[in-house]
Amino acid sequence: MTNTDINDKTQTIKEELDTLLEHSDELVKRIEDDVRAHSKEEAKHIVLPMIPMRHMNVFPGVSLTFEVARKRSRAAVHAAMNSDEQRMFLVSQRSLSVEWPRDDDIFHVGTQVRIREMIQLPGREVLRVRVDGLERARLISRESAVKDDEWDQATIQLMPSSTEKGVDPLQIEAGRRELLRSFQLYAATSGRLSMDAIMTLNALDNPAEQTDIIASNLNLSFEEQQSLLETPDILKRQSMLITFLEREIVISEYENELSEKVKAEVDKSQKEYYLREQMKVIRRELGDEQDTQEEVERYLEKLKNTPVPEDYREKLEKEIKRLTNYPVSFPEAANLRTYLDTVFDLPWGEMSEETGDIKKVRQQLDADHYGLQDVKERILEYMAVRELHHTQTDEPFKAPILCFVGPPGVGKTSIAQSIAQSINRRFVRMSLGGIKDEAEIRGHRRTYIGAIPGRIIAAIQQAKTDNPLILLDEIDKLGNDFRGDPASALLEVLDPEQNYNFRDHYLEVPYDLSHVMFITTANTTDTIPRALLDRMEVIELSGYTEEEKYHIAKLHLLPKQIGLNALQSNQLTVSKRALMDVIRLYTKEAGVRQLERELSKLCRRGVLRLKEKDEDKQSVTMRNLDDFLGKPKYRYDVIDKEDPVGVVTGLAWTAVGGDTLSIEVGVSSGSGKVELTGSLGDVMKESAKVSLAYIRSREDVHTEHPEFPEKMDIHVHVPEGAVPKDGPSAGVTLATAIYSALMQKPVHHDLAMTGELTIRGRVLPIGGIKEKIIAAHRAGVKRVLIPEENKRDIEDIPESVLKDLDVITVTKAEEVLNYAIV
């Protein structure tokens, strides 16, 4: 029972007891009257015939039937029956082996009972006696019988139920209710008690009688029964019984669970046996009973026609002949058949014929995907080299192992599938995200129950050729734990010098993977182990530009969604400006997944409007776009129209593309304190300190402000404080903003910049140039300053962007300030 359950029960009891406060005086008076009545009777010493019971107790208020065989005990029964009240004293003896116990062999607390019925069993010197328990009693003295036909007399003192002085009667009432709840739960769990017994207890309001009746209905040991009998205190008896009930409830739950399991297993076994017998009869009647020898011959014939390595042919032959040692239904025989079927289901040298027409492949790739020129060119290079290789030598040509790295939604998986279709290779996708078990790659050894081959062999089995294109998706999300490191297992798979002899733990036969074209995908290379990354040719897939997204939406996504939503191409038209607004105002991503979802919503809303307005056509324009997609979800920064002081436009790279970043600097009189705000990371904070150090080294700053920096405070803030920002590429931007604020000189509003800065004023190269310049173009920037060493990245930028921008390369901070300051 949890602490929460205990607290809930306590609260319930408190609420119920509050309702009893009005009747508490009546309850106290009744208990006091009972105690006084019993105390008068308690003071008396009563002499009654006594029977020592063999590990059997009778509780007050409970009826019990038992047989009496010992001569002295029978005499005691007759003596009691001849008395007026027909009472006697029952007490248990300590040992079962003692024929007639002495004083030390019996307990000193028993029960005063009244005989309700006595029957002489025919043909036997045995009495069957039914008694009603009246009261607990303590043995004061015992007068043992001298002759066998005499009986023992016991002098007893009654032990009425009582409570300690000062105990609140409401506490006893609470115990009574809790005990009743526990007993009802026990009755429901065990199913051993009748409804009559439960209803009797519900109607009983005497806590002493309740404890004795519940004790008689529990499966307690003799020692536990005796301890309850020797306890006159009601509160203590309630506590003991609640403890016993909790134990019995747990035991009953375990018994029920075990019984259900046994019953399910028995039913399953009987069903399987019955079905097997039926199958045997059916096969026998049809003359189709399995012949193990024929099965062995069939496997041997497959082995003869399968080009497995010669060194392992003998091993497989032994495995096949082992089938003759097992009965058909033997589990080991079934495992062996599964293994042999797996071996012979592999293609073993079967190849699909690849397309040799490079022009056709280029057309197919261009039709399926817009952009991604690096990927397409690499595939065409492979095809050209392969064709030339086949004309010069008969040696097998090893397929490349490529790794497409880029943000989500840029088409890494879909371009791999398109490559497979264009070169006529079977395509199999394997998701590696979250895999932590090395056996997922290499398979499980056959010694384990339920062993299966690894995913690589399973993919070959699925492709049914030895030269499929296998996509290992999300390779950067591999994990590892105590079961092994799957990344290490992939080292052999992705190494052209080793994978011609790949050994799967389940297969135990080398398999040639050198004809397989492996393509892997990842969002980042940071989490890929160096040794594994070294085996792959990495191709970066950066985010799409707005122009590329427009063409992808127009040529692929919008026609696809129009078809999926049961529209005709002429029923829904979207203008170019509306489509560009969908891209700019409703999505913020490097890929096109969110764009496809928004276009799907637009088509669904178009269908709804067609039906509601009973129209034949819907046109989406920039003006009514809100009616289809709702209010815009995002906004892009647009540059200021005036030349500000202390504010410079920087450029940032994010996982969903580039973005502009305004950096604001304020200068005031103070004590030389520097404040950095805007959720800046450690690297960006260091970059701000480096920029400040460079500005301090400039002579014109000290000439203008001799008190700088000791008597001037500088506050650097990057807006959108809830968004974390980090990286060194804002160095030149920070320095320019600080210089502008100190010298009170404005900065060109149509200029943006990026680059890492050193203390000596050198501008170092950074990454993400393409995305950053595209973001600058989108914000209306006219000139962009980038490091000189990033000049080679300009060729990756679309012409549609470069024609509206003046990209300037710089090597020193002095050049940056000359271009930036008005």
Side-chain angles (χ1 to χ4, degrees), residues 27 54 57 60 67 70 119 133 209 215 255 386 409 421 456 530 537 565 578 583 648 673 675 703 805:
L27 181 61
R54 287 180 167 171
N57 282 314
E67 293 181 352
R70 289 180 289 192
I119 300 174
E209 293 179 15
E255 288 175 347
R386 186 201 63 189
Q421 293 175 352
I456 301 298
R530 292 295 99 186
E537 180 181 343
N565 288 278
I583 296 169
V648 182
K673 184 172 63 174
E675 189 76 25
T703 302
L805 274 178

Side-chain angles (χ1 to χ4, degrees), residues 312-331:
Y312 293 87
R313 189 175 293 274
E314 183 179 352
K315 175 185 180 299
L316 288 173
E317 187 173 344
K318 287 182 180 179
E319 294 285 351
I320 293 170
K321 291 181 178 179
R322 281 177 57 202
L323 278 175
T324 58
N325 301 329
Y326 302 123
V328 175
S329 59
F330 198 67

Side-chain angles (χ1 to χ4, degrees), residues 704-810:
E704 182 73 22
H705 299 284
E707 70 280 11
F708 177 75
E710 289 81 6
K711 296 183 179 181
M712 300 186 72
D713 289 345
I714 296 180
H715 186 173
V716 178
H717 177 66
V718 183
E720 297 186 23
V723 181
K725 309 165 191 73
D726 206 357
S729 63
V732 294
T733 315
L734 288 163
T736 305
I738 295 171
Y739 182 83
S740 171
L742 282 170
M743 305 299 289
Q744 288 297 299
K745 294 181 178 181
V747 179
H748 289 288
H749 70 278
D750 60 350
L751 179 138
M753 62 185 70
T754 182
E756 182 179 354
L757 185 66
T758 69
I759 294 177
R760 297 170 57 192
R762 292 178 54 225
V763 180
L764 302 182
I766 39 83
I769 288 294
K770 176 182 176 183
E771 289 81 0
K772 292 177 179 180
I773 291 181
I774 291 172
H777 177 260
R778 183 176 60 228
V781 172
K782 300 301 180 183
R783 291 185 298 162
V784 178
L785 303 182
I786 66 171
E788 174 70 29
E789 294 185 40
N790 285 114
K791 188 174 183 178
R792 61 183 182 274
D793 298 319
I794 297 178
E795 62 185 26
D796 296 332
I797 302 169
E799 284 295 330
S800 59
V801 173
L802 289 177
K803 70 179 182 180
D804 298 328
L805 274 178
D806 183 13
V807 181
I808 304 169
T809 59
V810 294

Side-chain angles (χ1 to χ4, degrees), residues 300-318:
L300 289 174
E301 184 65 24
K302 286 184 177 181
L303 178 61
K304 181 180 177 181
N305 298 327
T306 302
V308 299
E310 291 298 327
D311 295 342
Y312 293 87
R313 189 175 293 274
E314 183 179 352
K315 175 185 180 299
L316 288 173
E317 187 173 344
K318 287 182 180 179

Side-chain angles (χ1 to χ4, degrees), residues 46-52 68 70-84 86-90 100-101 103 106 115 127 139 141-155:
I46 304 172
V47 179
L48 294 174
M50 185 190 83
I51 295 180
V68 180
R70 289 180 289 192
K71 194 169 184 179
R72 293 186 181 184
S73 297
R74 295 202 306 272
V77 172
H78 286 298
M81 287 295 292
N82 293 330
S83 66
D84 293 337
Q86 297 181 342
R87 297 187 180 188
M88 61 189 307
F89 178 63
L90 302 183
W100 191 257
D103 291 349
I106 61 175
I115 300 175
L127 299 176
L139 179 63
S141 63
R142 171 190 180 190
E143 183 180 342
S144 299
V146 178
K147 298 179 181 180
D148 288 342
D149 57 352
E150 295 180 351
W151 60 90
D152 285 9
Q153 294 277 7
T155 302

